[in-house]
């Protein structure tokens, strides 16, 4: 692949649910190994954007390309797309009837056709990576929210994705559990994983993202390198949003 070509290209994308226009002529590019945090008020379209990139939602207009795949094409092979695009939701979505080990091995065995022992060995390694090696035989109901979210991240990584989409993965967690999940994402960023992260965790976005995009009225209102974005926002809505965040002690 041409190294100068963006790995993700969102071109003039619009998406409505009935009369509610959630995304409006939105443009976004993401390079290989880049970490982009998408921020903005609730309802601004962050989650919808990620779901459209993963072809979970069809778009109304525009085009989305991931790697060499036109993810927005009506006939896209979603199984092929999801072999290299992983997505993690705020609600974990673990299979409750499967152990942690089986949750991690299901995709690699069924979709990637890996031998079971190869998948299990990688799963053990991933559980070490997220700090849960002792939970391989546990079931989701026996785990805390933070542990379930770390397993969900490990399950996405088990598919060896080139791109990881993370949709408010700390939103459903108690405050004391947030840091353990953000620490995993920081490690992935340092290791070079390409990520698009929808988040309300401003300090995390400032410290980990290469670039931050502020969504307003369904499009990217302002974007820039993380450090300058938070230190010197240029536009009125961004300034107002970050002031509220700062006044609330969240940045």
């Amino acid at each position: 692949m041409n190294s100068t070509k963006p790995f993700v290209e969102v071109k003039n994308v619009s998406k409505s649910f009935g009369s509610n226009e959630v995304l409006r002529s939105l443009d976004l590019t993401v390079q290989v190994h880049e970490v982009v945090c998408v921020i903005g008020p609730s309802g601004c379209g962050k989650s919808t954007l990620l779901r459209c990139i993963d072809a979970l939602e069809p778009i109304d207009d525009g085009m989305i390309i991931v790697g060499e795949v036109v993810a927005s094409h009506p006939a896209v092979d979603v199984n092929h797309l999801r072999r290299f695009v992983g997505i993690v939701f705020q609600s974990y979505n673990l299979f409750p009837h499967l152990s942690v080990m089986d949750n991690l091995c299901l995709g690699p065995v069924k979709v990637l056709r890996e031998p079971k022992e190869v998948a299990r060995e990688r799963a053990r390694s991933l559980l070490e990576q997220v700090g849960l090696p002792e939970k391989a035989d546990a079931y989701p109901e026996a785990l805390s929210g933070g542990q379930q979210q770390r397993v969900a991240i490990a399950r996405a990584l088990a598919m060896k994705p080139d791109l990881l989409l993370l949709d408010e993965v700390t939103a459903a967690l108690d405050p004391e559990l947030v840091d353990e999940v953000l620490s995993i994402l920081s490690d992935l960023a340092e290791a070079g994983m390409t990520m698009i992260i929808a988040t309300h965790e401003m300090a995390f976005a400032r410290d980990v993202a290469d670039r931050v995009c502020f969504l307003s009225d369904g499009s990217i209102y302002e974007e820039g390198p993380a450090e300058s974005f938070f230190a010197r926002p240029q536009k009125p809505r961004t300034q107002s949003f970050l002031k509220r965040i700062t006044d609330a002690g969240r940045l």
Side-chain angles (χ1 to χ4, degrees):
M1 184 187 300
N2 184 348
S3 60
T4 63
K5 182 180 184 294
F7 188 65
V8 180
E9 297 177 86
V10 179
K11 301 180 177 181
N12 200 37
V13 164
S14 295
K15 170 67 179 178
S16 296
F17 294 98
S19 60
N20 181 23
E21 189 176 31
V22 180
L23 302 178
R24 181 181 303 163
S25 301
L26 187 146
D27 292 299
L28 173 68
T29 60
V30 180
Q31 300 291 337
V32 173
H33 305 311
E34 189 176 21
V35 178
V36 174
C37 280
V38 181
I39 68 170
S42 297
C44 69
K46 300 186 297 293
S47 296
T48 299
L49 172 62
L50 297 189
R51 292 176 63 84
C52 289
I53 292 172
D54 196 47
L56 287 167
E57 293 285 354
I59 63 175
D60 300 329
D61 198 11
M63 180 180 291
I64 299 174
I65 303 171
V66 183
E68 302 298 330
V69 176
V70 181
S72 56
H73 194 284
V76 64
D77 182 345
V78 293
N79 290 326
H80 173 64
L81 177 69
R82 291 172 193 156
R83 289 187 179 192
F84 62 92
V85 179
I87 187 166
V88 183
F89 303 96
Q90 60 176 281
S91 55
Y92 324 138
N93 289 353
L94 298 176
F95 295 111
H97 63 291
L98 297 179
S99 69
V100 166
M101 175 62 71
D102 289 340
N103 263 280
L104 266 63
C105 292
L106 184 63
V109 171
K110 296 292 186 180
V111 179
L112 301 182
R113 304 297 182 186
E114 286 186 356
K116 288 184 179 179
E117 193 45 52
V118 171
R120 290 179 67 86
E121 185 61 33
R122 177 162 171 76
R124 284 190 284 268
S125 176
L126 287 168
L127 289 175
E128 288 277 359
Q129 185 176 339
V130 301
L132 295 171
E134 75 284 1
K135 299 297 184 180
D137 296 324
Y139 284 79
E141 64 180 10
L143 305 179
S144 70
Q147 290 171 335
Q148 289 191 58
Q149 194 60 286
R150 283 187 280 162
V151 171
I153 293 169
R155 183 176 65 177
L157 293 174
M159 294 293 289
K160 305 176 189 175
D162 297 312
L163 171 67
L164 194 57
L165 308 173
L166 298 122
D167 183 16
E168 301 284 9
V169 294
T170 61
L173 300 179
D174 292 333
E176 63 269 21
L177 301 177
V178 169
D179 285 348
E180 65 185 52
V181 173
L182 295 183
S183 176
I184 300 301
L185 302 187
S186 297
D187 291 343
L188 290 174
E190 289 183 11
M193 173 64 72
T194 308
M195 292 188 283
I196 306 175
I197 306 171
T199 184
H200 282 111
E201 300 290 338
M202 298 298 117
F204 169 78
R206 178 195 60 204
D207 295 341
V208 173
D210 297 302
R211 183 157 46 99
V212 177
C213 298
F214 177 63
L215 262 63
S216 180
D217 292 334
S219 62
I220 295 176
Y221 176 73
E222 183 173 351
E223 64 178 300
E227 183 177 356
S228 60
F229 180 92
F230 287 105
R232 296 178 297 280
Q234 300 298 304
K235 296 186 177 182
R237 289 184 192 174
T238 314
Q239 293 166 350
S240 175
F241 177 79
L242 292 180
K243 184 178 186 302
R244 291 197 302 271
I245 295 294
T246 302
D247 290 347
R250 293 169 50 203
L251 182 60

